[in-house]
């Protein structure tokens, strides 16, 4: 009863003291996100507790509803008719007072379900049963192995909670078990264990890190959280650049962003190489601004609290590698988290200042609030200097403008390499974390032309998301297959039927899929744009 509360208090208290940062990863209550134990069986004799029936039509009740006796099945049929329930994908109908069941939960699959339909339906069930104590039986008979594994994965994702600092009424270990009834239960369990479970854990890690307040989660504690999550996972190597190391390398851009904060910046490089994986890694670079006040170009107060999520790109690339490494995927991938806090103190950079990035490019600061592209400039320069990347994908909550253009339905995709863009779009379609390609027009170069330096960090109005993408692209060789994904519009949202308010963990599933399916990009005669 008291342990979680005490842990929450300890984390917040410790956070108030700048000199004692080391213990956060252990004391934050987020580390106690608990998964319901899941098991897979061929048949069930359950007659009580919660029964979950994924259904595409009323007919399926005859087979998938085998656990119901005749009178229960009649009651369910009557309820379906009375509610005019249509089984549309992602819908649900909760029925109580039938037989000995605590609840019978119907979840709709719609007519032509694909992988992400099952995952979404599972998430809807998981979220609907977040606080359910009773044992849960989920009947997935008649579905193929992948569909069962995807439903189970979705169920785990849907059980995520973002109320990290709510006092808990009870120990999470009191949660009942969840049992999946499936035709080929052994196969389904293996499919789930080889991928889904790692995805659930990695998504929870990413969402936790994004949701954590900035007094708990800052560059150093982001790193300690990552170290704790990767532990001794085989094939993983973590390298961290601190301020002296970044100074030696000439990373004036990220150092400039971090210099107005009491929390020093960090560059974290996590590499994972699975067995039989290629030599050239896919490199995922994430914007990791643990809080974006805007700096001297300070933001208005409205909405500023949400800027604790401005490290979501870094959280997602790290989470994607966590998912791949924990499931021992045969891939070679590197995540780079460019971590800094953007604050306005006496040491902070000013508009008009000039910074020099690691690759020697000089940057005139027009707005200290265009800080994400600065930390990415050094992360990409480091990548180009140190890694022979097969492709580089950067992920960033870069611009409000991308949200104005695409809302929370699509992240913005920018690339000079069509073949890379197509692979990313395919992964987006498969996972439901969709991308919409936007132009990298040559005219953006004049928007960022500076009289005093090589480039300036923002234009005046114009295509905000495109200008940011263009700036970042100036730190990558034209020959390197590179894409930029702006997730500012999709990373954070209110609660809905499948996720709680806060971080969406956007990018983890997309990048996990993309890296698994990655095909080397052929050199293009003339890269698009
Ligand atoms: N972190 C913000 C972008 C953002 C806005 C993320 C809303 C999530 C929700 C970024 O650092 C920023 O401040 N961008 C500026 C860029 C401008 C100064 C060129 C913006 O979008 O206004
Ligand atoms: Mn900003
Ligand atoms: Zn920002």
């Amino acid at each position: 009863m008291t342990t979680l509360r005490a842990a929450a208090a300890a984390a917040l208290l410790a956070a108030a003291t700048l000199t004692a940062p080391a213990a956060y990863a252990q004391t934050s209550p987020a580390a106690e996100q608990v998964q319901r134990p899941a098991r897979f069986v061929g048949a069930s004799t359950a007659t009580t507790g919660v029964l979950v029936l994924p259904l595409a039509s009323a007919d399926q009740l005859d087979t998938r509803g085998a656990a119901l006796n005749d009178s229960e099945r009649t009651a369910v049929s009557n309820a379906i008719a009375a509610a005019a329930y249509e089984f549309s994908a992602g819908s649900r109908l909760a029925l109580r007072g039938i037989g000995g069941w605590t609840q019978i939960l119907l979840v709709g699959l719609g007519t032509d379900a694909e992988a992400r339909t099952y995952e979404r339906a599972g998430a809807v069930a998981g979220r609907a049963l977040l606080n359910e104590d009773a044992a849960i039986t989920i009947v997935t008979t008649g579905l193929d192995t992948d569909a069962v594994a995807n439903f189970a994965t979705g169920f785990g994702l849907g059980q995520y909670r973002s109320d990290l600092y709510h006092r808990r009424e009870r120990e999470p270990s009191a949660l009942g078990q969840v049992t999946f009834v499936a035709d080929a239960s052994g196969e389904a369990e293996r499919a789930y264990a080889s991928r889904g479970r790692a995805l659930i854990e990695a998504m929870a890690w990413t969402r936790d890190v994004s949701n954590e307040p900035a007094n708990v989660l800052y560059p150093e504690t982001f790193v300690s959280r990552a170290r704790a999550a990767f532990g001794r996972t085989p094939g993983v190597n973590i390298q961290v650049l601190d301020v002296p190391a970044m100074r030696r390398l000439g990373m004036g851009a990220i150092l400039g962003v971090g210099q107005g904060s009491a929390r020093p910046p960090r560059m974290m490089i996590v590499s994972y190489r699975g067995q039989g994986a290629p030599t050239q890694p896919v490199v995922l670079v994430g914007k990791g601004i643990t809080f974006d006040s805007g700096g001297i170009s300070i933001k208005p107060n409205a909405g500023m609290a949400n800027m604790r999520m401005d490290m979501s790109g870094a959280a997602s690339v790290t989470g994607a590698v966590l998912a791949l490494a924990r499931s021992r995927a045969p891939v070679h991938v590197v995540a780079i988290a460019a971590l800094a806090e953007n604050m306005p103190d006496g040491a902070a950079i000013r508009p008009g200042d000039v910074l020099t990035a690691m690759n020697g490019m000089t940057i005139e600061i027009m707005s200290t609030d265009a800080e994400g592209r600065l930390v990415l400039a050094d992360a990409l320069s480091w990548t180009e200097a140190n890694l022979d990347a097969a492709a580089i994908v950067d992920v960033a909550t870069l611009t409000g403008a991308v949200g104005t253009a695409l809302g929370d339905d699509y992240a913005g995709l920018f690339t000079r390499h069509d073949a890379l863009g197509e692979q990313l779009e395919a992964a987006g379609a498969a996972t439901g974390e969709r991308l919409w390609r936007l132009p990298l027009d040559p005219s953006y170069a004049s928007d960022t032309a500076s009289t005093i330096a090589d480039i300036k960090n923002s234009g005046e109005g114009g295509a905000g998301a495109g200008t940011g993408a263009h700036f970042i692209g100036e730190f990558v060789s034209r020959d390197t297959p590179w894409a930029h994904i702006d997730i500012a519009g999709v990373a954070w949202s209110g609660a809905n039927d499948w996720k709680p308010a806060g971080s969406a963990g956007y990018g983890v599933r997309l990048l996990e899929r993309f890296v698994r399916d990655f095909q080397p990009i052929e050199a293009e005669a003339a890269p698009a744009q």
Side-chain angles (χ1 to χ4, degrees):
M1 171 93 175
T2 51
T3 54
L4 281 172
R5 188 182 306 178
L12 288 171
L13 209 68
T17 322
L18 267 178
T19 47
Y24 301 51
Q26 282 70 45
T27 53
S28 170
E32 304 195 31
Q33 291 268 355
V34 170
Q35 281 295 312
R36 263 174 224 275
R39 63 189 188 118
F40 293 75
V41 300
S44 166
T45 53
T47 54
T48 59
V50 176
L51 183 68
V52 179
L53 300 175
L55 297 172
S57 68
D59 305 343
Q60 293 185 343
L61 198 57
D62 298 335
T63 47
R64 208 157 289 153
L68 302 170
N69 62 34
D70 288 347
S71 73
E72 290 169 349
R73 193 168 310 125
T74 305
V76 172
S77 290
N78 290 344
I80 288 171
Y85 183 62
E86 288 181 331
F87 307 95
S88 60
S91 67
R92 61 185 156 87
L93 183 65
L95 308 174
R96 291 172 190 274
I98 297 181
W101 302 99
T102 310
Q103 179 183 162
I104 297 175
L105 179 67
L106 311 183
V107 285
L109 295 175
T111 39
D112 34 30
E114 350 168 34
R116 62 186 158 114
T117 319
Y118 292 106
E119 190 190 286
R120 173 64 58 85
V124 168
R127 183 146 171 75
L129 301 174
L130 202 54
N131 297 315
E132 185 55 71
D133 287 323
I136 299 170
T137 304
I138 302 182
V139 186
T140 56
T141 48
L143 299 180
D144 66 40
T145 296
D146 282 344
V148 177
N150 286 325
F151 193 95
T153 304
F155 188 85
L157 295 174
Q159 294 256 297
Y160 176 78
R161 25 194 344 141
S162 62
D163 54 355
L164 302 184
Y165 291 90
H166 277 187
R167 286 173 297 175
R168 297 262 194 275
E169 298 307 319
R170 60 188 165 82
E171 292 294 335
S173 56
L175 289 174
Q177 169 158 291
V178 56
T179 303
F180 293 91
V181 188
D183 297 333
S185 56
E187 249 177 68
E189 178 156 27
R190 275 190 296 279
Y192 169 78
S194 70
R195 179 155 177 264
R197 193 157 54 203
L199 257 185
I200 294 166
E201 291 166 1
M203 278 282 282
W205 184 88
T206 297
R207 286 172 162 178
D208 276 352
V209 164
S210 287
N211 287 326
E212 281 285 11
N215 59 335
V216 171
L217 203 285
Y218 45 92
E220 290 161 292
T221 53
F222 183 108
V223 169
S224 53
R225 285 279 182 109
R227 285 196 194 280
F230 282 96
R232 293 177 198 283
T233 311
V236 172
N237 179 57
I238 301 181
Q239 183 186 350
V240 180
L241 305 179
D242 61 7
V243 170
M246 291 192 276
R247 283 214 182 101
R248 280 195 298 276
L249 290 164
M251 292 186 165
I254 187 171
L255 287 168
V257 174
Q259 76 189 38
S261 166
R263 316 286 203 188
R266 290 285 186 271
M267 187 82 75
M268 181 184 74
I269 300 120
V270 182
S271 68
Y272 164 70
R273 189 169 178 189
Q275 280 184 354
T279 20
Q280 282 189 295
V282 172
V283 182
L284 310 174
V285 180
K287 167 178 173 179
I289 301 298
T290 56
F291 186 70
D292 183 11
S293 69
I296 297 297
S297 313
I298 198 161
K299 289 180 180 295
N301 183 57
M304 203 202 272
N306 287 347
M307 284 302 130
R308 66 179 183 274
M309 59 71 113
D310 209 21
M311 28 55 63
S312 292
S316 289
V317 298
T318 308
V321 173
L322 184 60
L324 291 161
R326 283 205 182 166
S327 60
R328 306 229 195 297
V331 299
H332 191 184
V333 62
V334 178
I336 302 187
L339 302 158
E341 186 182 45
N342 189 21
M343 296 288 274
D345 79 359
I349 52 168
R350 296 149 286 249
D353 283 6
V354 175
L355 304 177
T356 306
M358 182 184 161
N359 70 347
M361 284 252 285
T362 56
I363 306 164
E364 181 186 8
I365 303 304
M366 302 308 292
S367 168
T368 65
D369 199 11
E371 83 298 336
R373 59 201 72 184
L374 299 173
V375 302
L376 290 171
D378 277 334
L380 291 163
S381 299
W382 188 91
T383 303
E384 288 281 49
N386 291 279
L387 302 173
D388 180 23
I392 303 176
V393 180
D394 79 76
V395 183
T397 48
L398 204 78
T399 66
V402 82
T404 307
L406 302 174
D408 61 5
D409 300 305
Y410 296 89
L413 169 66
F414 300 82
T415 182
R416 300 189 279 246
H417 289 80
D418 294 341
L420 177 60
E422 282 158 18
Q423 290 189 38
L424 285 162
E425 283 173 333
T431 57
E433 293 190 336
R434 295 180 297 170
L435 302 173
W436 196 267
R437 191 160 169 194
L438 295 169
L440 267 173
D441 196 83
S443 72
Y444 302 160
S446 50
D447 297 337
T448 54
S450 161
T451 48
I452 192 172
D454 295 328
I455 195 167
K456 60 186 186 188
N457 78 332
S458 81
E460 286 96 49
T467 311
H470 165 79
F471 180 96
I472 293 167
E474 290 300 293
F475 295 84
V476 185
S477 152
R478 298 228 138 209
D479 300 329
T480 307
W482 157 77
H484 160 65
I485 299 177
D486 193 336
I487 60 167
V490 295
W492 189 264
S493 63
N496 57 34
D497 281 353
W498 58 89
K499 71 168 279 294
S503 170
Y506 206 98
V508 176
R509 282 168 291 179
L510 167 80
L511 296 170
E512 192 258 4
R513 186 78 266 162
F514 163 72
V515 173
R516 272 183 194 273
D517 297 348
F518 179 74
Q519 295 298 321
I521 311 292
E522 303 284 333
E524 285 176 41
Q529 289 142 11

